[in-house]
Amino acid sequence: MIKKSLSNEQSLRLQLLRFPLIVGVVFIHVYGATLMFSGIATGAGEKNHISDFIQSVISQEIARCAVPLFFLISGYLFFHDTQWSTESYVKKIISRTRTLLFPFLFWNILTLLIFFLAQSVPATLSYFSGNKTLIANYSFFDYLNAIFGLTRYPISYQFWFIRDLMILALLTPLIHFSLKWLPKTVLGALFVLWFLNIGENSSESAFFFVLGCYFGIYSQSIFLLDQPISKSLMPTLIIYTLLIIANALFLEVPSYQYMHKTGIILGIPIILYLTQPALSLPRLKKMLIALGSTSFFLYAMHEPTLTVFKKISYKLIQPEHNSSIIFIYFFSAIITIITSIALHKILIKTFPKFTAAITGGR
C-alpha cells in the first residue's frame, strides 16, 4: 500500500493542537475542591453546585478529550507515512529513547529528588507529603516503582502517559499484524474494554493509540468532520454541547460513565475540526505554534507545581464559597502555565541543548 503523507495543512493543524491539549491536561489535574495536607483533607466543607458545574464542564468533560486525542495522534503518526518493516520499527524505537525514555527518566528522578528535599524541611513537608509514605522511608523497590510506575503511577504521575506510550510503541509489530488481519475485531474489543472502563487508563491508552494506528496504516484522515463541510458537524456539535452540560449536572447517576465516554467520542472529532477555522486566524495560529514549543516542558513541570500553587492558595484563602473556589481553580492553573512558559523561555535561551534534551528534542 502506498502511504499518503500528511499535507502541510494537516501537519500544521496538528501542531496547533499541541499547546491547547496540554492546557487541557493542566485543567484535568486542577479539578477538585479538596486537597491533602499531611494526610488531612482540606477544602470546602459543603458542595458548591456552581463551582462544581463549571469545573466539571471544563475539567471532566472538555479537557478529558485531551489524553485520548494525544494517544490517537501518536498512533496515527507512528504509521501514517511509514512503509512497515523491521528497519523502520527499529529506527522509530531508537528515536523514542531520545524523545520519550530520556525525558521520562529525567523528570521522574528530578521529581523524586524535589519531594525528598521538600519532605526533609518542616516548612514544606505538608506541601509534598499528602497521605503517602515519606521518600526517606522508601525501600529499593519503592524507588524503582516511583520512577518507572511498575505497580502505581510514576512519582511525576502525569508521566503514566509516556510510560504507556513507550510500551505501546514497543508493541507496534503486534498492533500492525492484528490490524492487518483482524482490524474490526481488535478495535471492537479494545473499544468495549475502554467503554466499560475495564483496565481504566490502560484500556484508554490502548484503544486510542491502536485506533490512531489504524488510521495511519490505512491512510485514513483523522479529521472526520472536514469533508467538505460535513453534514454531521452541526448535529454533532449540538449533541456534544447538550451532553457535556447534562454530564456536568448529573455526575453521580449510574449511567454517567457511559455518557461521559460518549462525550469523548463526540468531542475528539470536534476538536480536530476546530483546527481548520483556527488556520484562518493569523494571530491565533502564530501564537499557538509559538506556544507549542513549550508544550512538553509544561506537561513535565505542571506537577507538582500545580498542586503546590493550589495548596498555597488554599492555605491563604481557605475557600468556602463559589467565588473563592473558582478563583483558586483558574488561578492555580493559569499561574502554573505562565510560570512554566517563562521558565522554559529562560532555559531555552540559557541552556538550549540541555532544555532540548529534557523535552525530547521538542
Side-chain angles (χ1 to χ4, degrees):
M1 180 186 295
I2 298 175
K3 293 285 187 177
K4 295 180 181 177
S5 296
L6 275 175
S7 68
N8 289 336
E9 180 182 305
Q10 290 174 325
S11 179
L12 185 57
R13 290 172 69 180
L14 293 181
Q15 287 184 52
L16 296 182
L17 278 177
R18 290 171 62 193
F19 184 74
L21 292 184
I22 291 297
V23 170
V25 172
V26 174
F27 272 95
I28 289 172
H29 293 157
V30 78
Y31 176 78
T34 59
L35 285 169
M36 299 299 294
F37 283 89
S38 301
I40 301 172
T42 303
E46 300 178 0
K47 285 186 71 66
N48 292 274
H49 297 291
I50 295 175
S51 64
D52 286 352
F53 175 76
I54 293 171
Q55 290 191 56
S56 294
V57 167
I58 297 171
S59 295
Q60 296 297 84
E61 299 303 324
I62 298 172
R64 283 287 175 182
C65 294
V67 174
L69 189 45
F70 270 127
F71 277 116
L72 179 76
I73 293 170
S74 298
Y76 176 68
L77 293 178
F78 199 97
F79 283 104
H80 84 281
D81 63 349
T82 301
Q83 294 296 330
W84 183 251
S85 67
T86 301
E87 182 182 1
S88 67
Y89 169 71
V90 171
K91 283 183 178 179
K92 285 181 177 289
I93 295 302
I94 291 174
S95 169
R96 278 153 181 77
T97 62
R98 176 179 60 85
T99 60
L100 299 177
L101 179 58
F102 179 78
F104 176 84
L105 293 173
F106 173 83
W107 286 101
N108 278 294
I109 293 170
L110 177 64
T111 303
L112 187 67
L113 179 61
I114 290 171
F115 268 73
F116 174 77
L117 294 174
Q119 289 175 2
S120 303
V121 179
T124 56
L125 173 62
S126 63
Y127 294 94
F128 289 86
S129 56
N131 58 355
K132 299 175 182 178
T133 304
L134 295 179
I135 291 169
N137 299 326
Y138 273 15
S139 66
F140 178 72
F141 177 77
D142 289 332
Y143 283 109
L144 289 179
N145 208 12
I147 293 170
F148 292 99
L150 302 176
T151 64
R152 48 165 274 185
Y153 287 121
I155 190 165
S156 186
Y157 73 87
Q158 66 269 32
F159 275 84
W160 74 264
F161 170 84
I162 301 296
R163 178 199 62 195
D164 283 16
L165 191 57
M166 289 189 292
I167 293 170
L168 288 163
L170 290 172
L171 293 175
T172 47
L174 177 61
I175 293 170
H176 182 268
F177 177 82
S178 63
L179 289 177
K180 279 294 186 180
W181 292 99
L182 296 167
K184 293 181 181 179
T185 302
V186 170
L187 288 173
L190 290 174
F191 173 78
V192 170
L193 290 174
W194 170 71
F195 198 76
L196 298 180
N197 206 34
I198 300 171
E200 299 182 345
N201 287 341
S202 296
S203 60
E204 178 176 81
S205 56
F207 171 61
F208 285 99
F209 183 84
V210 174
L211 180 61
C213 292
Y214 172 84
F215 282 111
I217 290 169
Y218 290 97
S219 298
Q220 302 293 312
S221 173
I222 60 174
F223 298 97
L224 299 178
L225 295 177
D226 278 7
Q227 310 87 352
I229 286 289
S230 172
K231 294 180 181 179
S232 304
L233 175 61
M234 285 309 298
T236 302
L237 189 56
I238 292 169
I239 294 170
Y240 177 66
T241 302
L242 295 174
L243 189 60
I244 63 174
I245 292 172
N247 286 346
L249 289 171
F250 303 106
L251 287 169
E252 298 176 2
V253 300
S255 61
Y256 170 76
Q257 170 187 309
Y258 311 110
M259 301 302 289
H260 173 67
K261 297 289 178 77
T262 303
I264 290 174
I265 291 293
L266 295 176
I268 285 174
I270 290 172
I271 292 170
L272 285 167
Y273 170 79
L274 290 175
T275 59
Q276 189 176 62
L279 285 177
S280 62
L281 301 170
R283 289 184 179 178
L284 178 63
K285 180 175 70 173
K286 184 178 180 181
M287 180 185 70
L288 290 178
I289 290 173
L291 290 173
S293 64
T294 70
S295 296
F296 191 92
F297 189 83
L298 172 57
Y299 164 77
M301 190 183 160
H302 83 273
E303 285 290 8
T305 309
L306 177 64
T307 299
V308 171
F309 278 131
K310 194 172 180 182
K311 284 186 175 184
I312 292 172
S313 299
Y314 267 63
K315 282 271 192 179
L316 294 175
I317 298 175
Q318 299 181 357
E320 288 292 337
H321 304 290
N322 283 313
S323 57
S324 55
I325 293 171
I326 289 298
F327 171 79
I328 291 175
Y329 171 75
F330 283 107
F331 172 79
S332 301
I334 292 169
I335 195 66
T336 297
I337 292 166
I338 292 173
T339 301
S340 299
I341 292 171
L343 183 56
H344 178 264
K345 191 171 183 179
I346 293 169
L347 286 175
I348 204 70
K349 287 184 176 181
T350 311
F351 307 106
K353 291 184 179 180
F354 170 75
T355 308
I358 65 173
T359 57
R362 294 168 180 85

